[in-house]
Amino acid sequence: MAELESMVPVAAIVYLLLGIVSLILLNRSKNRIWIDFMVGQILGLCLFIQGLAYSSHSIILAFSDGDVDLQFFIFSRNSLFIISGFLAATIPLLFPYPILQNSSTIKYIISGILGMSLLSAVYMMMTNYRYFGITDIIFVIPFVLLISVYFRFLTEEIRNNDLTARRMSFAAGLVLIGIHGREMTWWLAQVISINDEFIGRGAIELGEFAYSYAPAWIGHNINATIGSIAILILTVGESWRASHKGMNGFLLVVLLIFAVGTISGIADYAVLDIVNSCMYSVCEDYPETYDIWYNFTTNALVYLFTPLIAMYIILNFDIIDSRSSENSWMSRIIVILMLLIVTSSMIELLQSFLPVSEMVSSAILAMVVAIFIGWEERIMLKLVEEGESISKKLISLDELNIPDMENNHLQLFSKAVGVMVVFIILLSAVYSAII
Amino acid sequence: MDSQKGDFSEILSNIFSNSEANRYIVASIIATIIMFSYTGYDLLVVRSDAVNEYTNLKEWSIVFETQNETMQAVETVQDDETRNVLFDLSEINIPDGFTIGYIDIIITSEEESGISGQCDSVAGDIIENDLTAQWNDPQNNLSGQDSSCLPIELDLTIYPNYDGETLTISAINEFQALQNWTDTGWGEGELSIDLDLDVNAPFGIDPLGSDTDEEITIDVFIVMFKPNISLIE
């Protein structure tokens, strides 16, 4: 059986590609309402920065066995993850229901978040990432906002038969999965409280450096709890909706993640002896099947499917103007490209442990390519034609303020983040060279 | 169209405008707090002893128990000949828990032929090959030469940094303390030794031509170790 391939380099390509294309398409989209423009920028930049972080991580993985000094890549990876985490936590403040609607609050609060992310990245670097996990507490308020929006519009759809409300609860659910997908696959382990034993093992394997301090653990526990509650909310909410409105694709996605979390929880419980072996004797390796399961579920969700969710949000919620002739071709290319990269990675992953010859996997890939090309128009129609900006719903409810802000002002955000990323990479280079 | 002014309290009142939804929101937040509390209690209180134990550095003493294996080859080498001798290390018996630490080689020759009995020049070299070893270790002695009938000693370190001395290590647990001494894969392959012989005769004259070769014995001492760890109180 071949060794399982790492998906991190693929994740780096997928995130970078989608981030760059989203930003290009957004800048070409004329007459976007401020909320779409702002969310598009944050989402594009978040993907791009995560792509950079995964690139650093890929280099670390590739050279970790040699004598190469990887300190610069470790600093830049960790700092970029912190910044992208702050950006991801900013999205629920604006999407699907913007709680920042006043031009001054948009300017000051978002500038404040950027400043905080920069300070956190620098502070974490100076303290050797001892408190790394504590930054996860920034997801508490976004979580409360997202479940509030989800419940409000889900209830309105079911009780008042407000069909347009679905867009809002659907968007809130997608953002919850996009941000907390990984933790959702650990929901059962968190409910029966065995994640702490895995953290204990991690502490021993990584040394005292990584998990030595309570603040970091509190952050990890908050994130795991939020993810677990989020998937339980979505499962109950979508099942409730399905009982009134019938089945839909999103319910299947939610049930799939719920099922993955259930099986993972049972698998986690089954390997507890191995987990604890680390504390009392010598760390035993996890069974190969367990590693394969996590690679196909949690890792695939984080590395490959989260960018697809982001792409779906960008296109289906009309954040970019994908209907214009200028953007149409590029949108089509990126959709097919993303689907192909993800599919080919999954086939490659399958090949790494199943005795499938390269000839067969190539044939399967060719079939997938043919299907995507043949259905390209249908896929795009499904993504774009059914899409509608959530701003229309908010305007119809008279709950969206249109502040007096030029697009140029909003674009300052991208420039500020760009400067911040360059600054943090330079700082990583200098700091890694002098310590 | 735009009666919403972006007032924060108005936005929040809009979000929480549905009383039925608010009940679900409150229930979800309570569930979150409850789950965070008991998982946090497990993590930070119940496990605090374990956490402290595994995050505080302790002093460990590592003593190496050793066992030796020997291999031998006797070769008759002709004058001016270079002979390569291979020792397949997979043929030795390595007890459970033991790893090859280093290899000592002793090359001996006894001058028996020729009129004068003058010692011949013998040279031995360990040839770098695919054998997994510390080829650049400063403790190595990969080449030796002698023309006074004394044994030639060669050394090759196999396991990184192993010198057999007792160590004191700071680590959070036994596993980490032993981490540098549980590598596998070292000492796999064949030990390759080149022998060179240059027959010596008084004033370079051997009228009977009787001293044309030499019997050379190569003794390979393979030192294996097993780390035994104990906590220094």
Side-chain angles (χ1 to χ4, degrees), chain B residues 165-179:
Chain B
E165 296 294 319
T166 298
L167 296 172
T168 302
I169 287 186
S170 297
I172 59 171
N173 68 3
E174 210 176 294
F175 171 74
Q176 285 200 8
L178 279 174
Q179 222 165 16

Side-chain angles (χ1 to χ4, degrees), chain A residues 97 99 101 148 151-152 155 159 190-191 193 196-197 204 207-208 217 221-222 279-280 398 400-401, chain B residues 1-4 11 14-16 20 25 28 32 35-36 38-40 42-43 47 51 54-55 173 176:
Chain A
Y97 196 102
I99 60 160
Q101 296 195 19
S148 303
F151 275 128
R152 177 190 158 188
T155 312
R159 296 293 186 221
Q190 184 68 6
V191 169
S193 191
D196 58 314
E197 303 193 34
I204 295 161
E208 63 160 354
W217 289 25
N221 199 35
I222 284 176
M279 297 190 192
Y280 305 113
D398 196 18
L400 183 66
N401 179 39
Chain B
M1 178 183 106
D2 183 25
S3 62
Q4 166 69 258
I11 292 167
N14 284 335
I15 291 179
F16 299 107
E20 185 182 353
I25 296 165
S28 303
T32 308
M35 190 189 285
F36 176 74
Y38 72 78
T39 52
D42 268 358
L43 183 62
R47 283 200 165 260
V51 169
Y54 294 116
T55 53
N173 68 3
Q176 285 200 8

Side-chain angles (χ1 to χ4, degrees), chain B residues 37-50:
Chain B
S37 304
Y38 72 78
T39 52
Y41 180 81
D42 268 358
L43 183 62
L44 297 162
V45 181
V46 176
R47 283 200 165 260
S48 64
D49 288 344

Side-chain angles (χ1 to χ4, degrees), chain A residues 40-60:
Chain A
Q41 280 192 100
I42 298 174
L43 209 49
L45 287 164
C46 184
L47 289 167
F48 177 70
I49 294 170
Q50 260 190 290
L52 289 177
Y54 281 130
S55 304
S56 293
H57 192 43
S58 306
I59 293 168
I60 293 166

